[in-house]
Amino acid sequence: MAQANPWSAYIDRIREAHTPEALDTLEHELFGRKEGAMTLAMKALKDLDAEGKKQQAQELNTWKKQLTETIAEQRTALLHPSDDALASSDAMDITLSLPPRERGSLHLIPSFMEHAADVFGRMGFDVATGPEVESEEMNFDMLNIPPDHPARDAQDTFWVQGKDKRVLRTHTSPVQIRYMREHKPPLRMICMGKVYRKDADATHSPVFHQLEGLMIGKDVSLANMKAVMVNAVRELLGRDVEYRFRTGYFPFVEPGLEMDIRWQGDEQTREGNWLEVVGCGMVHPNVLKNCGIDVEEGDGVTPRQLNPTWQGFAFGFGIDRLVMIKHQIPSIKMLFEGDMRFLRQF
Ligand code: PHE
């Protein structure tokens, strides 16, 4: 055949059909019962001789199959356009750019807490929680803070109205008690959360956050505490700092200590000045006893190594202060005001 193959021209036209109707028309043109081009071509076979008929029939069948398949493909493509087809069609203006979607992120405090759970998790500490409205007993008595002791006033307390003497917890230390009553030693736990005191200035807010920690075992010593504190501070702040431990008084530890840190090269915060970041110490035996943990007094003669009993350390970081140090934030209020211009910077 000298002229261009009519079937391959049909294939092109099918691929160019942009509506289902155009496709229907083409299909009819090809396969219509009376006038369809393929139908007529098939009919014409009968006029050929045997040899010609065979050859021509084979060829027509191949084309017929290809044409039918192409129509089916094109029909599917029109019903379910691909992304490419959509992008190149006029129906959709892909040059239109929408405003970027607002993406939320964690506030500095909870994001710090997630990090802290990681840091202490790697040291084997479990994460515990406790209520913010706490009984006077848990917040003070069980922690070896006697009823008329000035330590109760030192933590200016919000009392909840009612007869049952409840408080907004003034520290996370009551979670130590709750945890020790539910778990048998040896144990390692941290607890993070809100605490409340009547206090307000640039570095104090009536609501702030603490990170409590507790580790009890038969051989847990002050040396272990120091190692945990120093390592934790370095990891939490993400930098090396100088540190020192001073004695400090908390009725629930003996001896009690406070850890101060300072660092070089930080102009905005109080460079060179020591800053207290954590209260800590060896858990007072009275506290362990209040939680039903066996503490043998010892006879004063037998070395402790020969008669080990449960002992350990506890600590309480001020989270807000650590966050302020870490990000050089001048006022604690900025953490609570919810000013987006400030928060977006982190
Ligand atoms: N609870 C103490 C406070 O709020 C901190 C602390 C916790 C000190 C554990 C020693 C041990 O000041």
Side-chain angles (χ1 to χ4, degrees):
M1 259 192 262
Q3 73 203 98
N5 188 323
W7 309 123
S8 78
Y10 268 115
I11 298 272
D12 292 343
R13 288 175 61 197
I14 293 169
R15 295 223 167 100
E16 280 157 21
H18 281 311
T19 62
E21 294 74 31
L23 212 50
D24 288 345
T25 311
L26 273 171
E27 191 172 30
H28 186 74
E29 250 181 67
L30 276 164
F31 301 114
R33 280 229 262 150
K34 283 186 182 152
E35 305 287 319
M38 182 57 79
T39 319
L40 291 179
M42 289 289 195
K43 273 184 190 155
L45 285 177
K46 68 176 186 325
D47 302 329
L48 300 176
D49 59 30
E51 187 55 27
K53 195 190 263 177
K54 190 176 166 205
Q55 193 198 335
Q56 188 73 356
Q58 221 165 35
E59 199 176 315
L60 279 183
N61 273 323
T62 313
W63 279 112
K64 187 179 173 187
K65 187 160 175 263
Q66 207 178 327
L67 287 162
T68 324
E69 278 172 8
T70 312
I71 290 175
E73 269 169 29
Q74 185 68 3
R75 191 159 275 140
T76 322
L78 287 177
L79 287 176
H80 310 283
S82 67
D83 289 347
D84 284 352
L86 278 178
S88 61
S89 84
D90 299 337
M92 183 188 262
D93 179 0
I94 58 155
T95 63
L96 179 68
S97 52
L98 297 170
R101 250 211 218 167
E102 288 272 355
R103 228 177 132 229
S105 65
L106 281 184
H107 181 274
L108 285 172
I109 301 277
S111 130
F112 181 92
M113 287 178 174
E114 277 197 352
H115 180 214
D118 251 26
V119 167
F120 282 99
R122 281 196 293 274
M123 293 191 266
F125 286 75
D126 189 12
V127 177
T129 55
E132 289 174 26
V133 177
E134 190 52 283
S135 67
E136 181 185 23
E137 193 195 12
M138 290 285 184
N139 196 79
F140 295 118
D141 304 81
M142 289 297 134
L143 286 161
N144 199 39
I145 308 176
D148 296 313
H149 198 280
R152 288 206 188 197
D153 303 333
Q155 304 185 346
D156 266 325
T157 311
F158 287 108
W159 292 87
V160 177
Q161 279 185 348
K163 285 191 296 274
D164 54 351
K165 294 254 188 174
R166 283 180 307 156
V167 300
L168 294 184
R169 67 178 178 194
T170 58
H171 50 182
T172 40
S173 299
V175 183
Q176 286 184 35
I177 307 291
R178 292 179 175 275
Y179 195 85
M180 283 191 278
R181 286 185 166 184
E182 276 168 27
H183 299 80
K184 293 217 169 323
L187 48 87
R188 295 178 204 192
M189 76 94 186
I190 59 163
C191 160
M192 297 174 282
K194 290 190 166 61
V195 299
Y196 304 83
R197 292 182 203 177
K198 290 188 208 159
D199 225 351
D201 60 33
T203 51
H204 296 89
S205 150
V207 49
F208 59 105
H209 302 81
Q210 285 190 335
L211 192 179
E212 191 85 14
L214 177 70
M215 177 166 176
I216 305 291
K218 289 219 159 166
D219 51 5
V220 176
S221 71
L222 209 55
N224 298 130
M225 183 186 89
K226 183 180 167 189
V228 169
M229 297 288 89
V230 170
N231 189 44
V233 167
R234 181 189 302 128
E235 285 211 47
L236 290 173
L237 293 181
R239 74 170 100 171
D240 274 316
V241 293
E242 277 182 82
Y243 60 84
R244 72 178 182 195
F245 287 91
R246 290 177 289 108
T247 53
Y249 176 68
F250 306 96
F252 33 94
V253 286
E254 180 59 38
L257 300 158
E258 283 169 64
M259 181 188 183
D260 300 332
I261 61 168
R262 72 175 177 189
W263 61 95
Q264 305 299 321
D266 185 345
E267 272 146 41
Q268 287 192 29
T269 5
R270 306 187 271 163
E271 186 186 353
N273 291 341
W274 290 106
L275 211 60
E276 185 211 324
V277 286
V278 59
C280 52
M282 297 302 284
V283 179
H284 197 291
N286 287 350
V287 174
L288 296 175
K289 281 184 214 158
N290 287 343
C291 300
I293 293 177
D294 245 12
V295 277
E296 279 155 41
E297 303 292 344
D299 55 12
V301 181
T302 315
R304 237 198 70 82
Q305 291 92 320
L306 296 181
N307 185 26
T309 83
W310 297 117
Q311 60 172 21
F313 62 83
F315 56 87
F317 281 98
I319 290 183
D320 314 78
R321 179 169 284 194
L322 287 177
V323 170
M324 287 167 74
I325 293 171
K326 184 168 184 171
H327 299 289
Q328 301 177 27
I329 298 166
S331 162
I332 192 169
K333 286 204 200 86
M334 301 176 111
L335 293 173
F336 303 111
E337 282 169 345
D339 184 336
M340 294 307 285
R341 289 168 302 178
F342 165 72
L343 294 173
R344 280 213 180 92
Q345 296 173 49
F346 303 97

